[in-house]
Amino acid sequence: MARALHLLFVAVLASCLVAVLGLSGGAADAVAPGGRWLVSELRKGDFSIKVTNWGATLMSVVLPDSRGLVLGYDTVAEYVKGSAYFGGLIGRVANRIAGARFKLDGKAYRLFPNDGKNTLHGGHRGFSKLNFNRFSRRPGRVREVPDFKPARAERAHERDGAGQGYPGEPRAPRLHWNLGGHGSGSILGEKVHLFASRYTLVDTVLIPTGQLAPVAGTPYDFRRPAAVGARMGGLLRRGVTGYDTNYAVDGGERGGLRRQLRRVAIVRDGASGRAMELWADQPGVQLYTANGLSGVRGKGGKVYDRYDALCLETQGFPDAVNRPNFPPQIVRPGQVYSHDMVFKFFLAVMLDC
């Protein structure tokens, strides 16, 4: 049986503790398209994060006993040139839109195809490639999270629907986690527990078929804690190189655009004892095992390769705008869109394993 020693520290990340309020348009010491690059460090004791206005990107997460738990680069210029989506705010629509097109109220819209014939993460110039010029460190609303003292969460991001419908969701950063420390190697030994009993079936280019399938009896079953690599062989036999899978969070489809926070996932690194718990209010979560990383030079000269990180990206279901049976993601004029994520970090001692 596993027991956690006392909760040593809790950290909350919600869109880098930054509510994005506007896009840049001015110049000023311009070294980037649309404006100036800024880097802000938020610190509480030995816990700190760094965020830049380029793509509202979270550059680092440092806990009291670590040198950094997210993959990334040393400089903003490297994020501008990079293509790995390290820590960037994903949108306007997260994940894939089939055929780079959709219809809204009978009107057809064509998008930029940047993933074969499909649109991925907002196209060639999504939110992760924009310069944001207004930030707020003001806490958002208080939300109840069991066993979380104080029970406080920052507003991840909010956008009202004024002016037009909003077909999708910008979400919290696409964080590439390695609880052993960035650059420490593979995450296949880290244990993952997902509170999700179903996943979306996809075709050969990762577009959902519209069907949800039970995870039971498949390599996608993490309803009990299991090492990420424990079932990787089952994926490889299916011709799949790793996890890039949307899970339907249990109970997450209820509530329309104003959903409740639910526990989504727990990740534990056995070597360091570090653990992370994720709560969110979205119907889905994408488990991604950095299948596309290959020889990417990152912070401190570390080289990142396949399986050196995992992402847990809370979201609406991929291609929901083209799938009426999926939870809706359209935000109408006058509606308020919100997306909250809470990360709890702690050190635990495994007993009686």
Side-chain angles (χ1 to χ4, degrees), residues 111-134:
L111 309 172
F112 187 93
N114 65 323
D115 183 51
K117 297 180 180 180
N118 307 309
T119 295
L120 175 66
H121 296 335
H124 68 302
R125 190 161 168 76
F127 287 174
S128 63
K129 295 297 183 182
L130 295 178
N131 219 28
F132 291 80
N133 69 356
R134 293 178 62 197

Side-chain angles (χ1 to χ4, degrees), residues 38-106:
L38 304 173
V39 176
S40 178
E41 182 177 34
L42 305 179
R43 179 180 293 275
K44 185 174 183 179
D46 292 330
F47 168 70
S48 69
I49 65 172
K50 286 185 179 180
V51 59
T52 174
N53 60 326
W54 175 257
T57 297
L58 194 150
M59 300 175 67
S60 71
V61 178
V62 178
L63 304 186
D65 71 328
S66 78
R67 295 183 179 180
L69 302 183
V70 294
L71 277 60
Y73 303 110
D74 290 316
T75 67
V76 179
E78 291 172 288
Y79 284 94
V80 174
K81 297 176 182 177
S83 59
Y85 296 103
F86 286 145
L89 185 70
I90 301 300
R92 123 170 344 200
V93 177
N95 217 301
R96 291 171 174 83
I97 295 179
R101 65 177 66 185
F102 67 94
K103 282 187 176 181
L104 181 63
D105 298 333

Side-chain angles (χ1 to χ4, degrees), residues 12-34:
V12 178
L13 302 180
S15 194
C16 312
L17 295 177
V18 175
V20 180
L21 302 179
L23 296 177
S24 78
D29 303 332
V31 292

Side-chain angles (χ1 to χ4, degrees), residues 175-203:
L175 299 169
H176 287 66
W177 294 102
N178 188 320
L179 296 188
H182 88 91
S184 64
S186 172
I187 49 79
L188 295 182
E190 294 189 359
K191 288 189 175 182
V192 171
H193 182 186
L194 296 179
F195 296 85
S197 303
R198 298 174 300 160
Y199 70 106
T200 51
L201 296 177
V202 296
D203 63 18

